[in-house]
Amino acid sequence: QVQLVESGGGLVQSGGSLRLSCVASRIIFSAYDMGWYRQAPGKQRELVASITSGGSTNYADSVKGRFTISRDNAKNTMYLQMNVLKPEDTAVYYCKADPPTRWHSPSWGQGTQVTVSS
């Protein structure tokens, strides 16, 4: 019954920008830690950025200074602003919601494709 819906992926040129959105429903959004992950062909899924229920953020070294994670609790939405995109950013990007209690299961979005051309 937990639902995460992603949008904003697409095809852009190197140096361009995209803004990804993840809208959550059927959860107390403000209580959840949230994160963006990505998976490129032939590679493991990796954490791109995370933001806790308290607003603390964390970024992978490869995107630090270029990407910004944020959340709007009033809209039950998490965002990933991606600037100065590089071909190596090409991947499927996934939204993840971690519940406030460990005995609940995390939820994942469906994924959205981001492709950066040279």
Side-chain angles (χ1 to χ4, degrees), residues 1-4 24-35 50-56 71 73 76-78 95-101 103-108:
Q1 60 273 19
V2 176
Q3 184 171 288
L4 303 173
S25 61
R26 297 185 177 90
I27 62 171
I28 304 174
F29 180 77
S30 61
Y32 278 65
D33 294 340
M34 303 292 296
S50 64
I51 182 166
T52 69
S53 61
S56 298
R71 65 193 296 162
N73 289 340
N76 283 9
T77 303
M78 176 182 63
C95 173
K96 183 187 179 185
D98 290 312
T101 54
W103 50 276
H104 287 109
S105 299
S107 297
W108 291 86

